[in-house]
């Protein structure tokens, strides 16, 4: 390429970069909704800076490289910083840091190690607070470093901002600078609430902090979990501060200005590097995000001698940690099936170095998240890896969407067992319906099947199920009934006697009830009480398997969601096959005609429960009553049919007695469940 052509190409690239950077500045500083990770933004800036250095004739005063930060947003009064709020030079390696230390010592003419302070680099929003005669008067954001936004009212709502300095000895005017951050826990909670309300979420705690502080209504800020950490001084009038940064920060603390507990005075650059490693280890445990550490020359007179270069002090440097967010391409999506049948979408990524490791897979959480974030296969996405947390896809870079992206579709069949996949309307999570058959759900299904309130196979615990499944002896619950003595004694820690006992327990379990069997199948949301209601209502498995949604919904306690789960479970041929094999193996129960649907025997009756029952939980009691058509209320009134009293009843008993409402003890209650037609008789006995 000729020199002119190359120059022309550089000019066009410079313009394109400036346009792109301005766009991202706007998203970041004005909307608090950045679209690309910081690391990517830094790369764009770096490329622009390099091109401008090579072609100085293209430098313009309005280039993003000539400015420190963003412009103040409309709506806030502007505050001019008398002492500019500058930024820090970045170092990404030990070599960068050592070179900086060398420059510092050369300039100062110091041969030995310099005293530095080392502290976390907070990933929040820089602010400055002016205290006059010890009283907080004005607070502002950094803005472009020269002018920021007046956010005094919002800063006042933050608990860790003292409205008045403690102690004494502060200068008449003191400008304290620091960072507003949102702790991760508060950030998660804020986003959870936003999601529940269908509102926009923040991409990370830093943006949440910025967005919260730059609210025009301070009442909104007041509800956000914000904190402040101070780390620098601006203007000082009418008073003196100590001769070192470290001691200044100790004074800050005495005055009630919060300073990080991780502030250290260290010996030379080796001390700095040790601190860096220590903080990198601590990073995942800190309650807030940090993106590196900051080293500062401790002596203030030396800071003054070193002075500034363009936009950053020579006496300080930020030693950055590996970025926790990076940008990469989403190549494909795989679906993982969990123990409960939940399908989780996993992003297959173009490998990217993030958070200190190469990441090629990340979770996409569920279908709802995919839809909310509008992620497609082929998109550029932001991947986040923080500490030991599973890497996740946080968002998509919409402005870089290639034309040939494909939507992410929920598979119709389980990728593990081929059974149908369903996602009930309104639910985020899709599931495999082959609960009895799917290898991913095998162990769970067997444990549940054998549990005490289901088929009650004594001795079949987790360790044993693991072995049976891992050795391939049991693929589904029906296989349990074909286990042999020989197979069992081949297992670890299984003697002759315990094998015999287990076989007997399995044999005993064959004699069961329809309710237990239904519960044992592990149909989603069919608990014991629902299983019992279904058994009572239909009387036979055959009728339940062929019941329509509408027929199922006639059973008290069965709503549309549960009905749907039941229909789907029995529609899956794999499940029907396992049931058939269970019956062939000799599992049996008594059937009856069923109680034809229609009003229940306790229809229109209202009961109140109080105290602890011995034979069932309160929840079960409630369900059993509901299954008979009764209503269960939380408070006693004259219209209450009866109050059912367990041990240690509460004030409801007293109220029942006062109102003359009949009282049933547990014995009478059990009699009622068995013979609801005897209600009146029982009520008479229980008249209070
Ligand atoms: S000192 C003149 N100390 O990093 C130097 N800055 O990238 C004043 N920051 O604008 C800054 N933690 O928002 C300093 N412990 C710390 C910091 C810190 C975070 C931020 C601050 C600054 C930016 C520069």
């Amino acid at each position: 390429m000729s020199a002119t052509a190359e120059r022309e190409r550089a000019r066009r690239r410079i313009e394109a970069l400036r346009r792109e950077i301005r766009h991202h500045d706007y998203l970041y500083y004005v909307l608090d909704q950045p679209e690309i990770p910081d690391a990517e933004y830094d790369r764009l800036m770096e490329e622009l800076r390099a091109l401008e250095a090579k072609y100085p004739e293209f430098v313009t005063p309005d280039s993003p490289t000539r400015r420190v930060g963003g412009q103040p947003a409309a709506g806030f009064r502007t505050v001019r910083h008398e002492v500019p709020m500058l930024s820090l030079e970045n170092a990404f390696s030990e070599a960068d840091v050592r070179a900086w230390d060398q420059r510092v010592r050369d300039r100062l003419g110091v041969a030995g190690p310099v005293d530095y302070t080392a502290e976390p680099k907070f990933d929040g929003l820089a602010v400055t607070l002016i205290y006059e005669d010890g009283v907080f008067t004005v607070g502002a954001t950094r803005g472009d470093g020269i002018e920021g936004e007046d956010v005094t009212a919002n800063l006042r709502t933050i608990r860790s901002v003292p409205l008045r300095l403690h102690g004494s000895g502060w200068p008449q005017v003191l400008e304290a600078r620091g960072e507003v951050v949102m702790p991760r826990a508060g950030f998660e909670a804020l986003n959870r609430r936003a999601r529940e309300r269908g509102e926009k979420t923040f991409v990370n705690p830093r943006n949440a902090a910025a967005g919260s502080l730059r609210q025009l209504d301070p009442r909104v800020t007041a509800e956000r979990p914000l904190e402040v950490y101070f780390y620098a001084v601006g203007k000082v009038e009418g008073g003196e501060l100590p001769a070192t940064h470290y001691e200044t920060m100790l004074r800050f603390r005495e005055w009630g200005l919060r300073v990080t507990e991780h502030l250290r005075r260290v010996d030379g650059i080796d001390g700095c590097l040790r601190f860096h490693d220590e903080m990198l280890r601590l990073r995942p445990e800190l309650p807030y995000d940090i993106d590196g550490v900051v080293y500062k020359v401790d002596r203030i007179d030396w800071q003054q001698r070193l002075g500034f270069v363009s936009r950053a002090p020579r006496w300080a440097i930020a030693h950055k940690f590996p970025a926790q967010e990076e940008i990469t391409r989403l190549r494909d999506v795989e679906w993982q099936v969990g123990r409960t049948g939940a399908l989780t979408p996993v992003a297959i990524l173009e490998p990217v170095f993030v958070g200190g490791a190469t990441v090629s897979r990340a979770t996409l959480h569920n279908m709802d998240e995919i839809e909310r974030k509008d992620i497609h296969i082929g998109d550029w996405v932001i991947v986040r890896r923080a500490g030991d947390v599973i890497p996740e896809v946080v968002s998509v870079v919409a402005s870089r969407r290639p034309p040939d992206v494909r939507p992410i579709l929920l598979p119709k069949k389980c990728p593990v067992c081929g059974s149908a996949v369903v996602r009930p309307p309104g639910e985020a999570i899709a599931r495999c319906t082959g609960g009895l058959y799917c290898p991913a759900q095998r162990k769970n299904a067997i444990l549940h099947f054998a549990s005490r309130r289901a088929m009650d196979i004594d001795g079949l615990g987790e360790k044993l199920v693991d072995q049976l499944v891992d050795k391939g002896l049991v693929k589904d619950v029906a296989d349990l009934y074909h286990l042999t003595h020989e197979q069992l004694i081949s297992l670890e820690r299984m003697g002759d006697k315990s094998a015999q006992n287990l076989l007997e327990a399995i044999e005993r379990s064959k004699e069961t009830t329809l309710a237990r069997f239904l519960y044992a199948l592990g149909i989603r949301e069919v608990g014991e009480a629902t299983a019992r209601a279904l058994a009572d209502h239909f009387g036979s498995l055959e009728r339940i398997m062929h019941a329509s949604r509408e027929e199922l919904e006639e059973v008290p306690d069965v709503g549309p969601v549960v009905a749907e789960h039941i229909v789907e479970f029995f529609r899956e041929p794999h499940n029907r096959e396992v049931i058939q094999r269970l019956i062939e193996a000799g599992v049996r129960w008594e059937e009856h005609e069923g109680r034809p649907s229609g009003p229940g025997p306790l229809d229109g009756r209202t009961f109140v429960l109080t105290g602890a029952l011995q034979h069932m939980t309160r929840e079960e009691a409630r369900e059993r009553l509901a299954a008979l058509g009764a209503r269960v209320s939380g408070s006693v009134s004259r219209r209450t049919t009866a109050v059912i009293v367990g041990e240690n009843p509460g004030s409801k008993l007293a109220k029942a007695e006062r109102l003359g409402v009949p009282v049933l003890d547990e014995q009478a209650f059990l009699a009622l469940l068995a013979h609801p037609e005897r209600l009146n008789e029982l009520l008479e006995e229980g008249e209070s």
Side-chain angles (χ1 to χ4, degrees):
M1 203 187 306
S2 74
T4 6
E6 199 173 310
R7 220 172 134 265
E8 175 54 20
R9 212 166 80 156
R11 191 187 62 78
R12 276 208 299 270
R13 180 66 187 150
I14 286 175
E15 273 172 14
L17 282 166
R18 284 179 186 158
R19 258 197 315 277
E20 187 165 0
I21 291 169
R22 279 192 197 108
H23 168 69
H24 293 302
D25 275 346
Y26 174 76
L27 294 179
Y28 183 109
Y29 289 107
V30 180
L31 302 184
D32 295 319
Q33 289 285 337
E35 201 196 37
I36 56 169
D38 290 2
E40 179 70 6
Y41 180 86
D42 293 346
R43 277 193 291 272
L44 295 174
M45 256 324 212
E46 220 22 73
E47 189 187 344
L48 179 59
R49 240 182 244 123
L51 281 173
E52 288 183 353
K54 192 164 171 201
Y55 299 97
E57 65 269 36
F58 295 142
V59 173
T60 56
D62 68 341
S63 170
T65 57
R66 311 287 110 178
R67 290 196 312 136
V68 177
Q71 61 269 64
F76 288 104
R77 201 173 64 86
T78 328
V79 174
R80 221 184 147 71
H81 305 306
E82 277 182 45
V83 177
M85 290 181 77
L86 298 181
S87 79
L88 293 169
E89 187 192 335
N90 286 331
F92 295 96
S93 65
E94 182 177 335
D96 289 351
V97 173
R98 289 196 182 278
W100 168 75
D101 170 60
Q102 193 59 53
R103 289 198 299 277
V104 166
R105 285 185 296 127
D106 288 350
R107 276 201 173 250
L108 293 173
V110 177
V114 170
D115 272 349
Y116 293 113
T117 58
E119 52 197 88
K121 183 173 191 304
F122 298 97
D123 201 6
L125 184 71
V127 289
T128 185
L129 289 85
I130 298 177
Y131 286 85
E132 290 173 84
D133 293 319
V135 177
F136 174 42
T137 51
V138 178
T141 62
R142 184 173 81 162
D144 63 4
I146 307 297
E147 283 183 342
E149 302 139 323
D150 182 340
V151 288
T152 313
N154 294 351
L155 283 167
R156 277 178 192 285
T157 69
I158 301 175
R159 298 265 169 120
S160 40
V161 167
L163 300 181
R164 186 177 275 281
L165 296 181
H166 305 198
S168 59
W170 12 266
Q172 202 205 333
V173 177
L174 172 66
E175 188 173 4
R177 291 181 170 172
E179 198 96 348
V180 169
V181 298
M182 184 177 289
R184 268 194 296 271
F187 163 75
E188 301 292 349
L190 183 68
N191 264 1
R192 207 176 318 118
R193 279 200 303 275
R195 253 194 297 277
E196 278 163 16
R197 296 186 196 144
E199 293 167 1
K200 230 180 6 202
T201 53
F202 289 105
V203 294
N204 57 39
R206 201 242 343 268
N207 293 294
S212 301
L213 192 65
R214 297 166 70 245
Q215 282 289 335
L216 288 173
D217 183 352
R219 282 171 304 186
V220 178
T221 311
E223 289 181 356
R224 302 284 171 84
L226 296 175
E227 285 177 21
V228 69
Y229 288 94
F230 292 95
Y231 51 63
V233 179
K235 176 169 68 163
V236 178
E237 279 171 23
E240 292 280 312
L241 290 176
T244 63
H245 176 64
Y246 189 73
E247 280 155 323
T248 307
M249 292 300 105
L250 296 188
R251 299 305 295 279
F252 265 36
R253 259 189 213 146
E254 286 167 23
W255 295 332
L257 297 165
R258 183 191 223 177
V259 172
T260 166
E261 58 181 314
H262 298 292
L263 174 74
R264 300 277 182 277
R265 179 142 54 184
V266 298
D267 189 20
I269 202 62
D270 291 324
C272 291
L273 290 166
R274 272 194 298 277
F275 179 81
H276 171 270
D277 292 352
E278 186 189 322
M279 289 310 293
L280 192 54
R281 253 198 322 278
L282 272 181
R283 185 190 203 183
E285 291 160 35
L286 294 178
Y288 44 76
D289 278 356
I290 66 174
D291 58 346
V293 289
V294 180
Y295 312 134
K296 297 172 184 168
V297 171
D298 193 33
R299 276 176 60 167
I300 307 290
D301 58 336
W302 284 4
Q303 289 187 0
Q304 281 157 354
R305 265 172 60 196
L306 287 163
F308 295 83
V309 253
S310 66
R311 49 198 266 285
R314 286 201 191 86
W315 46 265
I317 196 160
H319 190 178
K320 300 282 287 260
F321 290 158
Q324 289 186 321
E325 286 183 1
E326 270 297 354
I327 189 167
T328 189
R329 282 290 284 278
L330 175 63
R331 278 188 187 156
D332 205 354
V333 171
E334 258 177 37
W335 294 84
Q336 247 168 25
V337 187
R339 285 170 63 96
T340 61
L343 265 71
T344 305
V346 179
I348 308 301
L349 305 166
E350 222 132 89
V352 61
F353 192 74
V354 52
T358 301
V359 168
S360 52
R361 299 165 69 85
T363 180
L364 286 158
H365 298 292
N366 55 53
M367 214 48 209
D368 255 14
E369 288 285 287
I370 291 174
E371 283 158 13
R372 205 173 53 75
K373 294 171 181 165
D374 188 31
I375 301 173
H376 285 60
I377 294 170
D379 261 332
W380 285 97
V381 292
I382 297 179
V383 183
R384 182 175 167 85
R385 178 179 180 273
D388 295 334
V389 186
I390 303 169
E392 61 164 347
V393 173
V394 236
S395 57
V396 58
V397 184
S399 64
R400 288 205 194 164
R401 170 161 292 169
D404 56 348
V405 295
R406 289 182 286 129
I408 298 170
L409 301 175
L410 182 67
K412 291 196 165 59
K413 299 251 176 264
C414 170
V416 175
C417 76
S419 297
V421 166
V422 294
R423 178 186 176 204
E427 276 192 35
I429 296 175
R431 288 175 200 275
C432 160
T433 53
L436 275 189
Y437 170 85
C438 182
Q441 302 173 65
R442 224 169 247 171
K443 290 182 180 175
N444 248 19
I446 296 168
L447 274 173
H448 173 76
F449 184 82
S451 63
R452 200 168 57 79
R453 312 182 85 102
M455 300 300 277
D456 192 18
I457 305 179
D458 201 22
L460 192 60
E462 207 166 322
K463 293 248 161 56
L464 197 51
V465 170
D466 280 350
Q467 285 195 68
L468 290 171
V469 171
D470 295 344
K471 291 215 157 75
L473 295 176
V474 173
K475 292 203 171 55
D476 59 50
V477 292
D479 290 342
L480 290 172
Y481 294 94
H482 301 288
L483 284 170
T484 64
H485 190 80
E486 254 152 58
Q487 286 174 328
L488 287 179
I489 51 172
S490 76
L491 301 175
E492 267 166 52
R493 275 181 315 189
M494 178 63 79
D496 199 51
K497 184 75 192 140
S498 18
Q500 193 53 42
N501 286 345
L502 182 61
L503 284 176
E504 279 166 19
I506 291 174
E507 189 56 34
R508 266 199 311 276
S509 75
K510 286 182 181 170
E511 199 75 49
T512 188
T513 65
L514 177 56
R516 274 180 179 269
F517 183 76
L518 274 175
Y519 172 62
L521 294 177
I523 306 168
R524 277 193 70 69
E525 289 185 46
V526 175
E528 275 182 277
T530 308
R532 215 176 293 121
L534 284 164
D536 285 351
H537 184 94
F538 289 100
S540 87
L541 181 65
E542 198 63 19
R543 276 195 289 273
I544 298 172
M545 287 175 76
H546 293 107
S548 66
R549 275 183 197 77
E550 294 70 32
E551 285 165 334
L552 287 163
E553 281 186 53
E554 279 171 19
V555 179
D557 198 32
V558 173
V561 175
V562 179
E564 181 72 26
H565 287 316
I566 298 170
V567 167
E568 263 147 14
F569 183 90
F570 290 117
R571 189 193 298 148
E572 176 52 51
H574 291 132
N575 294 336
R576 289 206 303 269
E577 184 194 308
V578 174
I579 292 170
Q580 190 50 42
R581 288 179 39 232
L582 283 166
I583 293 169
E584 280 163 15
V587 175
R588 59 189 170 266
W589 54 84
E590 261 183 45
E591 303 209 327
H592 61 81
E593 280 303 297
R595 192 169 51 69
S597 50
L602 297 182
D603 234 31
R605 307 289 185 161
T606 305
F607 293 86
V608 172
L609 295 159
T610 178
L613 297 171
Q614 301 305 299
H615 287 81
M616 62 188 85
T617 65
R618 196 180 280 217
E619 196 43 41
E620 276 171 71
R622 179 188 299 277
E623 287 176 9
R624 301 271 313 253
L625 283 167
L628 296 169
R631 214 172 72 79
V632 176
S633 159
S635 60
V636 182
S637 78
R638 271 176 224 289
R639 282 198 297 276
T640 306
T641 308
V643 173
I644 294 156
V645 185
E647 244 162 66
N648 301 322
S651 61
K652 289 170 193 163
L653 174 58
K655 184 153 182 204
E657 283 165 353
R658 206 167 57 244
L659 296 178
V661 171
V663 172
L664 301 183
D665 63 11
E666 184 156 358
Q667 220 48 47
F669 173 52
L670 292 175
L672 175 67
L673 291 180
H675 302 282
E677 73 283 356
R678 287 179 49 205
L679 173 69
N680 287 337
E681 205 179 308
L682 289 162
L683 287 181
E684 266 164 46
E685 283 165 26
E687 211 96 310
S688 58

